Amino acid sequence: MESDIVNSAVRRRMMQAVQRDGTDIEVAVRRVVRLLGHRYRLNRRNLPGSPDLSNEKARWAIFVHGCFWHGHPHCAKTKGGRRGRIPVANRGFWERKIASNRLRDASKAKSLSELGFRVLTIWECEVQNSEHLQSKIGTFIRSAAQQKRQIGTST
Ligand SMILES: [Zn+2]
């Protein structure tokens, strides 16, 4: 197996670096949601994929994804970024890992939308632009509220 060749110490270091990043991105997203005046819960285990942020009553869920691990398409960061580029050694291993993450992400989003949730993905590379982040999250939560009202009145 190719994956056995990947030096486990190197892999552990990479995973740790990504986890640290992930935490920073999540914190930034939480801050924006709070700033916009919306309530949320973290990692609700009763919801498919335990979304990073969610509001069950308002029927929305937000996933915060690292561009590398979740294979952000057309991402400037993973194409040219030092940290984001797929390592040349064991390329197959990383590509398979990212592909399986993407499949899992898609199935989580599908399960949530079947439960009537609106689902938003925030990518790591979007977090740097706080104005963009605010307008994206704001629009998303408003549209979730609208959809919920429409469902509410039609039944
Ligand atoms: Zn990206």
Side-chain angles (χ1 to χ4, degrees):
M1 276 286 287
E2 202 179 352
S3 60
D4 296 326
I5 305 166
V6 177
N7 180 315
S8 70
V10 169
R11 190 160 55 200
R12 199 162 48 239
R13 262 205 311 280
M14 277 192 80
M15 302 253 184
Q16 280 165 352
V18 167
Q19 267 162 15
R20 263 200 309 279
D21 279 359
T23 314
D24 291 345
I25 312 163
E26 265 190 59
V27 167
V29 171
R30 282 181 218 166
R31 196 184 301 129
V32 168
V33 176
R34 247 196 328 266
L35 198 78
L36 292 167
H38 300 288
R39 290 169 168 277
Y40 59 86
R41 303 289 295 271
L42 299 173
N43 308 113
R44 292 290 283 171
R45 291 195 177 278
N46 61 321
L47 298 177
S50 32
D52 297 306
L53 281 77
S54 62
N55 186 319
E56 219 168 326
K57 232 176 146 182
R59 252 23 202 182
W60 58 258
I62 296 177
F63 288 97
V64 182
H65 284 169
C67 296
F68 177 75
W69 287 109
H70 295 269
H72 187 195
H74 315 296
C75 175
K77 188 185 171 82
T78 52
K79 272 204 186 107
R82 178 175 52 85
R83 212 172 23 181
R85 203 180 299 146
I86 294 180
V88 177
N90 309 111
R91 199 183 170 91
F93 166 78
W94 299 112
E95 278 173 354
R96 277 196 300 280
K97 174 112 185 102
I98 292 166
S100 88
N101 283 345
R102 291 200 58 171
L103 277 176
R104 212 172 36 237
D105 293 340
S107 103
K108 288 177 189 173
K110 188 166 174 278
S111 307
L112 280 164
S113 68
E114 280 164 5
L115 292 172
F117 278 78
R118 300 272 291 193
V119 180
L120 177 71
T121 299
I122 296 291
W123 294 97
E124 175 186 5
C125 63
E126 295 179 287
V127 171
Q128 286 133 354
N129 185 341
S130 67
E131 224 167 276
H132 161 80
L133 198 62
Q134 277 190 38
S135 95
K136 186 170 177 177
I137 292 173
T139 305
F140 165 71
I141 293 180
R142 271 196 306 278
S143 77
Q146 215 161 39
Q147 176 182 280
K148 196 181 168 242
R149 263 201 307 279
Q150 278 160 5
I151 292 169
T153 52
S154 67
T155 49

